Amino acid sequence: MAIQTEFKKKLFINGCWTEAENYTDLISPYNGEVIAKIPLAGETEVDQAVEAAYNARKTMAKMPAFKRAQILENVSKLLEERQEDAAKIIALEAAKPITTAKGEVARTIQTYKFAAEEAKRIHGETLPLDSAPGGENRVSYTTREPIGVIGAITPFNFPMNLVAHKVGPAIASGNTVVLKPASQTPLSSYFIAELFQEAGLPDGALNVVTGSGKTVGDKIVSDDRVKMITFTGSPAVGIGIRNKAGLKRVTLELGSNSAVIIDEGTDLETIVPRCVTGAFSYQGQVCISLQRIYVHEKEYDRFVEKFTEAAKQLKIGDPLDPETDVSALISKDDVKRAVNWVEEAKGNGATVVTGGETDGNSLKPTVLLNVDPSEKVSCQEVFAPVVIIYKISSIDEAINLVNDSRYGLQAGIYTENIHHALHAAEELHVGGVMINDIPTFRVDHMPYGGVKESGFGREGIKYAIEEMTELKLVVFNKK
Ligand code: NAP
């Protein structure tokens, strides 16, 4: 099998690497160099991709579980063999520091492994219909059937693992996929498509079409042959998709301005480094990045001092340098936007303890105090290495402030007080509460998703499979 190492990439439709009419340059966010030429699919190519997925749906639906599991297991193994190449692709196209990129690849290997395992566990249940008068003498059970063609639309920030969170469960449950990756990170998806082909996936079961969100995304969302859209990305685009999707099933994994609460009497020595990781990993471009920190007044000064000191130690640089902690933001516009938001907060009385300035396309790790909660940098998703530290006097005050957000993906609380922990678990209005950890904690088989503008539906292979299958009831009248 020819691995697509050429500079000029091709669309992946019906198992064939296909030229497009138009191409665009893929530019490195770090140094502006052209990394590859990327095909821009038009409506015709997207139509072909949907047709291929539609035609392959019966083959996939009939494929036995052990075979689907084997293909996913093969992908996981192939990726393990090629993990260095994979990490380099992510570092290049997404400007993700190589150490973090390697971490993403390790997680992706796991995600496909989980998908292989879950493929063997899809089952229904038997039902005691005789619990109702008139229900006697019947055998009844449920099954889970694949939904058909799934349109998967993915963001730039985890170009390999978030694709795995869609393609993995879709294939595990016998569906077919038309995948549209983010325009800045198409190479990771082409790389995975090659591995799937090598792993024995039938033609048409996975198709990758790159191009503008508007053209490609719109066409996938409006095509009747596509039965479900699984989307990860910004709330604005997600809400637009939902409005257009009609009766299609839709899951939306959207943004957040995640927060952690730090109670009195906690061990700052271990908490501070975790919070630094949560706030600045991949330049803060993580959907569960730590953006707001609420620290008890008794710990506040010490926390600010230690946290700022640690933030200042982070090394800014080339994503391919293993020493780099923080590299370029995904685009110049995002650098401008983040700086403007910081400046705006500063103009309204915020204190910039460190950072706030740029270094090339990177924004230095930035710590802000005295920020009004209505500032964009606090109430919107900043998606940059910017964190705000607030002083609180009680856990209830902190919970109210965390909940005072349009988002609700995950939240964390550090406390030695069991009552505070349980109270926070109950009161925080989010998809996941992390006790004694940052909101940024995620392993790939846990249910993951949000409330409010952070979206709905859950990922984490088993949970995504529930979304990607249709429950069918069978009732057998024994007469
Ligand atoms: P984005 O701008 O919303 O893009 C996401 C995807 O949607 C891209 O493939 C994009 O294509 C496509 N798209 C754009 N316009 C579209 C349209 N009209 N119809 C259909 N698709 C369209 O998001 P991003 O900047 O890549 O990613 C960052 C966002 O993702 C953040 O908000 C982050 O919090 C969120 N996120 C959430 C999770 C989660 O699990 N909750 C995980 C990671 C990221 P183009 O690239 O071609 O525009």
Side-chain angles (χ1 to χ4, degrees), residues 28-174:
S28 152
Y30 176 65
N31 58 19
E33 280 174 16
V34 179
I35 310 168
K37 285 223 171 290
I38 303 300
L40 290 173
E43 291 216 354
T44 312
E45 287 96 345
V46 182
D47 184 67
Q48 288 164 357
V50 174
E51 184 67 12
Y54 190 74
N55 291 338
R57 76 193 190 291
K58 287 196 175 145
T59 309
M60 282 308 291
K62 290 206 178 320
M63 184 182 279
F66 81 88
K67 229 170 164 182
R68 301 193 308 266
Q70 189 60 58
I71 290 168
L72 290 159
E73 187 65 41
N74 290 347
V75 169
S76 183
K77 281 199 187 119
L78 288 167
L79 185 55
E80 200 162 0
E81 284 164 20
R82 309 235 3 233
Q83 51 188 302
E84 293 291 323
D85 296 343
K88 210 167 153 198
I89 288 172
I90 298 173
L92 273 175
E93 66 179 0
K96 183 170 283 193
I98 189 76
T99 319
T100 317
K102 284 182 181 170
E104 179 176 347
V105 175
R107 280 183 59 189
T108 311
I109 294 166
Q110 284 286 313
T111 304
Y112 284 117
K113 232 183 236 303
F114 281 126
E117 288 161 3
E118 287 300 333
K120 299 177 185 172
R121 295 187 195 128
I122 301 168
H123 59 83
E125 56 185 353
T126 55
L127 303 168
L129 289 197
D130 63 348
S131 303
E136 302 92 328
N137 215 26
R138 283 163 171 82
V139 173
S140 175
Y141 58 92
T142 58
T143 58
R144 298 209 76 103
E145 295 189 338
I147 210 161
V149 180
I150 295 182
I153 304 178
T154 53
F156 75 83
N157 63 338
F158 285 85
M160 229 167 256
N161 198 31
L162 290 182
V163 164
H165 270 285
K166 302 194 181 306
V167 177
I171 299 299
S173 49

Side-chain angles (χ1 to χ4, degrees), residues 210-227:
T210 45
S212 94
K214 183 102 202 64
T215 313
V216 179
D218 260 7
K219 172 78 182 130
I220 294 174
V221 174
S222 55
D223 195 302
D224 283 341
R225 292 165 294 182
V226 177
K227 297 298 174 207

